[in-house]
Amino acid sequence: MRCVIARYPFELTRTGVLASMKGVRPELITTESVTVGRRRYPVMQVGQVLTRQDRRDFTAGEVLRAMTRLGFTCHERPGSAGPGQADAPGGVSALTAASRLLGGAGPMAA
């Protein structure tokens, strides 16, 4: 599959990605990630290995789009609340919890 990352065209295949990432040790995941084989890699590490470019030359979105089109499972940033989820345990948002601690009735209390 042809894809453009950092304004350069790349011909990527699922088997080619698997072969490129074989033997590469995953870094600590702090942002978006992608599962390649049985391992989960930060998306920027995968992009760097596949393109042989500096991580500043491409975006995570470019690599995520390519990996999704190839059928790999992509994951959101760890700890990010998805749609409809509360910010804090117990269903209380951080703003509401802070307001309660300060004695206010809510964010719009005057």
Side-chain angles (χ1 to χ4, degrees):
M1 173 195 78
R2 184 178 186 270
C3 64
V4 176
I5 299 175
R7 299 185 315 260
Y8 291 100
F10 291 93
E11 192 65 38
L12 298 176
T13 63
R14 185 173 176 84
T15 55
V17 172
L18 290 167
S20 294
M21 296 306 294
K22 186 175 183 175
V24 176
R25 193 167 178 184
E27 296 173 356
L28 179 65
I29 297 173
T30 58
T31 61
E32 295 88 358
S33 60
V34 60
T35 300
V36 179
R38 293 181 287 162
R39 293 184 171 183
R40 195 166 162 183
Y41 295 90
V43 71
M44 296 301 279
Q45 181 183 12
V46 173
Q48 183 178 20
V49 170
L50 295 178
T51 65
R52 294 183 178 89
Q53 294 181 350
D54 190 274
R55 295 179 188 198
R56 294 173 290 183
D57 294 337
F58 56 88
T59 65
E62 291 173 312
V63 179
L64 283 173
R65 264 191 307 279
M67 294 298 103
T68 302
R69 287 176 57 196
L70 287 171
F72 290 100
T73 303
C74 298
H75 309 276
E76 292 182 7
R77 172 182 320 235
S80 67
Q85 294 180 354
D87 294 334
V92 178
S93 72
L95 184 59
T96 304
S99 177
R100 287 181 186 168
L101 286 173
L102 296 174
M108 299 303 287

